[in-house]
Amino acid sequence: MLTKIISFMLQGNPFFLRLLFGLLVLAGVPGYAQYNIKQIDSILEVVNETNDLKLDTKQVIMVYNASKAINYEKGIAESLVLYSKSSYKSGRYDTAFKYITQAESTSEKINDPVLTFKIRAFKGLCYSRLGFYKEADQTLNSAVFIAKTIADKDEMHYFLTAVYTDLAVNYGRLGNSKAERVWGNKAYNESQKLEKSDKYLSVFAIAISNRGSWFAKHKQNDSAEFYLNKALLLSKKISDKYQYKKYYAQWVINLHAANFYDVEKKFSQAESSYKEAVSAASQIKYALGLKKAYSGLAKVYKNLNQTEKELIYVKKSNRLGDSLASVDKAAIKTPLDYIVRGKDQQLITNRSNYRQIIFIAFLLLSVVTGAVFFYRYKFKREIKLSAEKMNELIRKIELNENKRSPARIEELKGIVQLAINNNPAFLMKFNEFDLEFTPKLLDINPSLIAVEIEFCALLRLNFETKEIARYTNVSVRAVEGKKYRIRKKLNIPTDQDINIWMTHL
């Protein structure tokens, strides 16, 4: 019997040949340096083709250690990507992010656009899950440019569909419905180029389902039902050759359909679709997928007042939720402690590296220390100049306005300080203090805008050109230009000091 099985596997079936080879490697002696690049690539191809959410962690560890033993950077990077995916699909998003950034660092010298895209796109997905939406947007957009460089057209359309979908999801989490729709449409349009691809039919079906889900979310029920039904039909046509992709697509599509039916109070159809989602998730051992489907069924049975069934699925959902956080934790922790801490001693080969690092660190520390002292000195000088200027202005104002009360003088001091700090509240406080100044300016020229009135107020307070430039963060030339335009607008003679003119207005 065993002879017949082996004979079948060897009769021109490359997938089983690779799988058999991988198993034989796993059963071999633990001397990792015995494996060569071709053998490691073969095992990675098996793992990537099966694409099972419940990855065999021991196998991934073996590939990582074998790649490390022969310093095969691509094998190391691909292993780290698999670690990251395993963690992500187990709900440990922060751990997934650590692994994918380590993979990114390892792959910097590798000229492989497919690997680079996978790392960049997955890093963006981790950012989004962790709530760093701006960083996710930037990272996913950079992945778009990489995807467009991939030579295989079907592969390129597949990757673009995936990253456009991730961008739509990211904007959905941000609550930006318009951007979500734009990227969702891009994903759908790109996926249509895969309609005739047997390998990527699942991607096309999921893109249609996502479109239906978007319409459902925005209460466009006719369109939602049309696309969801179309996606359900397509999911049944996916070849058994791609079993994982088929079941994953069926899980996504049935979950979308079930959510739609549940909102529409079509509980019988919702129940049926949730059960289909349970079946599909079970086929690929997708714990998070099962949890969502169980939660959906519990909600349906609650709406149907079937308390006993509701409790069954609530317990199933909770049990999965409790266990997800500890999935494969023991198996992954030991080999990755070294990686996560970033203590790869191979980057430091001799004492000269240490001396170089110490020298650079000392140089940077000296520069930073010097910069700190310089800016502290500059800051103290600015404070001193500001205080001197304010005292000078107050002294002049006190001489010219000797009838004002001490309270008014204190109020004026506060307004001058607002001007020195370039505080947006300056003009409002100035107008409250000097009720007649702005109306008089507008009587002369009603077209004056707020910025020009504020500039006139600074002149009325006897600020000089260089002081206005310093406190408003503009050049002296810009201030002189403003003065010239103000003179023209207010018909101030060129032979008259503009500050004195403003003071006597």
Side-chain angles (χ1 to χ4, degrees):
M1 181 66 181
L2 180 60
T3 305
K4 289 181 179 180
I5 293 172
I6 293 172
S7 176
F8 167 73
M9 292 172 71
L10 296 176
Q11 286 175 1
N13 193 319
F15 173 77
F16 282 113
L17 283 171
R18 288 193 298 272
L19 182 60
L20 177 61
F21 174 75
L23 293 171
L24 288 172
V25 168
L26 282 173
V29 293
Y32 296 121
Q34 68 177 306
Y35 306 122
N36 58 39
I37 290 174
K38 187 175 179 181
Q39 291 170 328
I40 292 169
D41 283 343
S42 183
I43 300 167
L44 283 169
E45 191 176 353
V46 173
V47 175
N48 281 314
E49 278 195 19
T50 54
N51 202 20
D52 194 339
L53 283 161
K54 190 74 172 178
L55 289 169
D56 186 339
T57 308
K58 291 180 181 178
Q59 191 175 12
V60 177
I61 291 169
M62 189 281 298
V63 175
Y64 170 78
N65 285 329
S67 301
K68 190 83 173 174
I70 63 171
N71 198 28
Y72 179 34
E73 291 182 337
K74 185 178 177 183
I76 295 170
E78 295 234 27
S79 302
L80 287 165
V81 172
L82 292 172
Y83 278 131
S84 184
K85 288 184 176 180
S86 178
S87 299
Y88 183 93
K89 291 164 185 175
S90 299
R92 302 192 307 277
Y93 307 121
D94 55 338
T95 307
F97 184 78
K98 289 178 184 178
Y99 298 161
I100 203 66
T101 51
Q102 184 70 26
E104 185 177 44
S105 176
T106 305
S107 67
E108 284 176 355
K109 297 178 183 178
I110 304 169
N111 184 22
D112 186 333
V114 172
L115 176 60
T116 306
F117 169 84
K118 287 178 180 178
I119 292 170
R120 195 70 58 82
F122 199 72
K123 184 180 179 183
L125 201 60
C126 290
Y127 267 135
S128 183
R129 271 291 186 183
L130 290 166
F132 297 93
Y133 303 120
K134 181 181 176 182
E135 290 81 0
D137 180 58
Q138 293 170 345
T139 308
L140 291 170
N141 268 294
S142 69
V144 170
F145 292 105
I146 298 168
K148 289 178 179 179
T149 67
I150 294 170
D152 185 287
K153 292 300 178 185
D154 276 355
E155 204 167 42
M156 180 189 73
H157 296 315
Y158 163 63
F159 286 140
L160 283 173
T161 301
V163 74
Y164 289 157
T165 300
D166 291 340
L167 279 161
V169 170
N170 187 55
Y171 277 107
R173 289 173 179 151
L174 267 171
N176 188 336
S177 181
K178 185 177 179 181
E180 181 187 6
R181 176 73 186 275
V182 168
W183 289 108
N185 285 341
K186 280 179 173 284
Y188 175 72
N189 293 335
E190 199 66 40
S191 73
Q192 287 184 305
K193 298 167 186 175
L194 298 168
E195 186 175 2
K196 296 179 181 178
S197 169
D198 190 35
K199 183 177 180 180
Y200 296 119
L201 182 61
S202 59
V203 178
F204 180 49
I206 290 172
I208 292 171
S209 180
N210 288 338
R211 194 174 180 85
S213 180
W214 189 92
F215 281 120
K217 182 179 174 182
H218 292 84
K219 308 299 181 186
Q220 298 180 37
N221 293 343
D222 289 342
S223 296
E225 196 159 15
F226 170 78
Y227 284 107
L228 289 171
N229 285 333
K230 184 177 179 181
L232 285 166
L233 288 172
L234 275 174
S235 70
K236 295 173 182 176
K237 296 180 181 179
I238 301 168
S239 171
D240 287 336
K241 181 180 177 182
Y242 306 103
Q243 282 197 8
Y244 168 78
K245 291 177 181 177
K246 178 175 183 174
Y247 290 125
Y248 181 76
Q250 288 180 352
W251 170 76
V252 170
I253 295 164
N254 277 288
L255 197 69
H256 283 163
N259 291 338
F260 170 70
Y261 291 135
D262 185 56
V263 172
E264 291 300 296
K265 301 189 185 305
K266 298 178 179 179
F267 299 126
S268 176
Q269 289 168 276
E271 178 190 14
S272 177
S273 291
Y274 278 129
K275 285 184 175 179
E276 289 289 337
V278 167
S279 175
S282 299
Q283 291 289 339
I284 54 175
K285 299 181 178 66
Y286 187 11
L288 284 173
L290 278 171
K291 185 181 185 317
K292 288 186 178 182
Y294 288 153
S295 297
L297 279 169
K299 188 167 57 171
V300 166
Y301 289 129
K302 181 179 180 180
N303 289 326
L304 292 172
N305 293 318
Q306 297 183 25
T307 307
E308 190 175 337
K309 287 185 177 180
E310 178 196 350
L311 289 174
I312 290 171
Y313 285 101
V314 166
K315 287 179 181 177
K316 285 187 174 185
S317 177
N318 290 340
R319 191 159 52 243
L320 273 174
D322 293 338
S323 65
L324 282 173
S326 59
V327 174
D328 288 341
K329 200 174 277 186
I332 291 176
K333 185 178 184 302
T334 303
L336 287 184
D337 276 349
Y338 175 73
I339 300 167
V340 173
R341 288 194 303 267
K343 294 181 179 178
D344 191 347
Q345 295 301 322
Q346 291 181 2
L347 296 176
I348 304 172
T349 56
N350 52 48
R351 291 182 179 179
S352 64
N353 297 99
Y354 285 114
R355 286 196 295 269
Q356 187 178 14
I357 292 168
I358 291 168
F359 173 74
I360 292 170
F362 176 76
L363 187 64
L364 287 173
L365 182 61
S366 301
V367 171
V368 170
T369 304
V372 168
F373 278 109
F374 172 75
Y375 282 109
R376 281 187 65 185
Y377 167 76
K378 188 176 179 182
F379 179 67
K380 286 180 179 179
R381 186 170 176 272
E382 285 292 324
I383 290 174
K384 184 179 178 182
L385 287 172
S386 296
E388 289 174 356
K389 177 61 186 174
M390 187 169 75
N391 290 333
E392 182 188 347
L393 288 171
I394 295 303
R395 185 179 59 79
K396 289 179 182 178
I397 292 164
E398 285 175 337
L399 290 171
N400 295 331
E401 305 287 346
N402 52 21
K403 292 182 181 179
R404 286 185 177 162
S405 66
R408 292 282 284 170
I409 292 297
E410 286 303 313
E411 186 181 352
L412 189 56
K413 286 181 180 180
I415 292 168
V416 171
Q417 190 61 58
L418 289 175
I420 290 171
N421 295 339
N422 197 22
N423 193 305
F426 162 67
L427 183 58
M428 180 183 72
K429 291 293 183 183
F430 177 85
N431 284 333
E432 289 174 0
F433 178 83
D434 193 336
L435 298 174
E436 297 180 355
F437 181 67
T438 297
K440 285 180 180 179
L441 287 175
L442 294 173
D443 282 343
I444 298 170
N445 190 336
S447 68
L448 287 173
I449 61 175
V451 175
E452 292 169 331
I453 294 170
E454 183 176 347
F455 186 79
C456 291
L458 291 171
L459 296 174
R460 184 171 175 83
L461 291 172
N462 283 319
F463 279 90
E464 296 172 4
T465 299
K466 289 183 179 179
E467 292 166 342
I468 294 173
R470 186 189 310 139
Y471 299 135
T472 58
N473 299 315
V474 297
S475 67
V476 170
R477 189 173 179 179
V479 174
E480 288 172 345
K482 282 186 179 181
K483 277 189 176 182
Y484 175 77
R485 289 191 292 275
I486 291 292
R487 279 183 181 275
K488 294 204 70 172
K489 283 195 171 187
L490 297 175
N491 294 319
I492 302 171
T494 55
D495 61 345
Q496 189 166 359
D497 186 298
I498 193 169
N499 289 66
I500 295 172
W501 190 93
M502 292 292 175
T503 304
H504 288 95
L505 182 65

